[in-house]
Amino acid sequence: MGPGARSPPKAVQFFRSTLLPAAIVVLFGLALFAVSARIWLPGDMAAPAPIG
């Protein structure tokens, strides 16, 4: 940063260093759960939907 550049406010630093990574991890966990939940579905429900 150049001279006279201010560091971001504490709230922005907290969001970037804590909330954003936590949100990414939670979102990844939800996606992983949604994909792996097909294991426990009955066989006919785990198959792709029929066309037509």
Side-chain angles (χ1 to χ4, degrees):
M1 289 198 270
R6 295 186 306 145
S7 62
K10 289 275 187 207
V12 175
Q13 286 180 342
F14 175 75
F15 177 76
R16 283 185 184 165
S17 64
T18 306
L19 290 181
L20 196 60
I24 291 171
V25 169
V26 167
L27 197 62
F28 177 79
L30 278 172
L32 188 64
F33 172 77
V35 169
S36 63
R38 294 180 59 184
I39 296 168
W40 294 286
L41 287 175
D44 57 339
M45 289 179 64
I51 299 175

